[in-house]
Amino acid sequence: MCGAFFAFSAYNGRERGIFMNPFDSAATAEVWRRVNGAREEQTAAELLLEMISDEMTDSATYLRLARCGIGARVFRTLAQEEDRHARRLKALYFLLTGQEACAEVGAVPYYSCVADALRDRFAEEQRSAKRYLAAAERLPEHCGLFRELAAQEQEHARRLHRLTQCIL
């Protein structure tokens, strides 16, 4: 029985296409939330902190990709836009809670080639757009902001698609 437990872990999950950084506090909290079966709904403040962290991580990821040279201008622009998204979400967090958002940059992924990075980032931008649309439904009093961010994330995905066409 113990051998079956260790047959799949965070350490060999990468081989199976599952990526989880055990040092990423947001991802670890989400795993434990699923493991413990907690069905409690995330508060608006928790949701915003998670979104802020994701935007900060996206910005750091694009800055890392800009250093590769290929598509550097596009990646730098995307990093600046993701940083603006984080600042807008931080402002909303402050307005709702009266506190400054203390979000951390998550683990910045390392890519062995630009094509893999483009594919991953494209999918991430699409996920972010869907997440903002869901937030617009959940927090209708702020739907304008979330719909605008969703549209911008969709535009990021389109830019990454165009960059992929140029590179491949």
Side-chain angles (χ1 to χ4, degrees), residues 21-167:
N21 179 353
F23 300 107
D24 182 350
S25 58
T28 304
E30 178 58 29
V31 168
W32 279 111
R33 192 173 296 130
R34 288 194 315 261
V35 168
N36 292 329
R39 299 282 184 225
E40 67 218 31
E41 193 167 309
Q42 202 175 27
T43 67
E46 290 171 334
L47 178 65
L48 283 170
L49 280 176
E50 200 171 291
M51 289 175 163
I52 292 165
S53 177
D54 289 347
E55 293 292 351
M56 291 167 54
T57 303
D58 289 348
S59 179
T61 301
Y62 286 127
L63 286 175
R64 175 182 278 177
L65 290 170
R67 289 187 214 116
C68 295
I70 300 172
R73 185 174 39 176
V74 172
F75 290 134
R76 274 194 299 275
T77 301
L78 290 172
Q80 291 169 347
E81 291 175 6
E82 298 292 2
D83 189 51
R84 268 193 297 270
H85 294 176
R87 286 196 313 267
R88 293 182 74 187
L89 292 168
K90 285 178 181 180
L92 179 59
Y93 182 88
F94 177 79
L95 292 172
L96 293 177
T97 67
Q99 299 174 0
E100 188 175 338
C102 294
E104 298 176 4
V105 175
V108 178
Y110 172 79
Y111 300 102
S112 58
C113 71
V114 174
D116 287 344
L118 288 168
R119 186 170 185 266
D120 180 62
R121 299 313 308 159
F122 177 80
E124 184 58 36
E125 294 294 344
Q126 290 183 318
R127 278 191 295 273
S128 293
K130 288 178 186 174
R131 187 172 187 195
Y132 283 128
L133 291 175
E137 298 270 328
R138 185 166 165 223
L139 302 169
E141 62 275 16
H142 306 291
C143 69
L145 170 65
F146 291 125
R147 286 187 182 136
E148 189 177 327
L149 291 173
Q152 290 172 3
E153 297 293 351
Q154 289 169 338
E155 176 57 29
H156 292 176
R158 282 190 288 275
R159 280 193 233 161
L160 291 169
H161 182 246
R162 286 192 299 265
L163 181 59
T164 304
Q165 291 172 348
C166 293
I167 289 174

